[in-house]
Amino acid sequence: MATVRLDQKPRALVRAIPDSYKSALAKFFGSGPQDLDLARMQHQQYREALESCGVSVTMLDADHKHPDCLFVEDQAVIVDGHVLLPVPGHPSRVAEQPPIANFLVSQMGGAQICRMSGDARMDGGDILRLGDLFFVGRSTRTNDLGIEELRDLLSHLGHELRVIDIPDKALHLTSIASTPTDEIILAPEGYLPKDAFGELPENSRVIWMPEEETYGCNTIGLPNNKVLVAKGYPTVLQTLKDLNLETIILDFSEIRAADGSLTCCSLFF
Ligand code: CIR
């Protein structure tokens, strides 16, 4: 999940992979998962990697009626202890949310919970945080009404929001960009204009990766200079090493097959 700073990741919520996972939506990186056991093994390795970095992981039961339910990132926007519950942009994913919302309400005592309503739509996967600066993708899942609701929350918290148009060939902003540290954005060539992120704070920068390593641009930065990275993206890997980060490489092939990336499978709170 991309809406918390590195120092705000003590706990993560994940969700088990449902029996129906082979029917998950797949249109961008993947053409649909084929191997449920392998997907579950890769998901287990992901949970173990988070735990090895000191993150306390809770796994919600799968919802077998909802093949995409493991992609919890899309179902809540957690910012500085506040929670925005979006109306997910794909109708098949709307009913995944209640158990996630109930869990967050039960765990985040005193959190301000806002629910998106009306025609506003948003997937949490469209939000990226660089330190205290936020970006939101205007995409097939996230519309202007959703963006305005997010802007209200962020301006209340004193944070700036910048809007980035997501090209048709990508699902979400986090499908093509991530912040492995609070100062670095990784993004691929060929998707966004070079000025898409605007002027960044001092010491911050975008590092552009080759287009064929787009999937690898989704990383999870963690405290103590650790970062999770998908297997198979050598330029991304070397770039992270050159930043003096300790890389933990995960094979995510069966998650990618349903267009899911590393950040999609967790909510930090
Ligand atoms: C979907 O199309 O909604 C899922 N198959 C993939 C969601 C990936 N989530 C994300 O990028 N945050």
Side-chain angles (χ1 to χ4, degrees), residues 149-168:
E149 292 205 23
L150 176 66
R151 192 185 297 286
D152 285 349
L153 172 66
L154 293 178
S155 57
H156 172 71
L157 298 173
H159 298 315
E160 182 186 345
L161 179 65
R162 297 180 185 171
V163 181
I164 295 180
D165 284 311
I166 304 302
D168 290 345

Side-chain angles (χ1 to χ4, degrees), residues 24-26 68 71 73-74 93 123 125 141 171-172 174-175 258-261 264:
L25 299 168
D68 288 290
F71 300 121
E73 174 181 55
D74 297 321
R93 300 203 52 200
D123 279 3
R141 301 287 177 89
L171 174 57
H172 291 134
T174 60
S175 311
D259 294 340
S261 306
C264 310

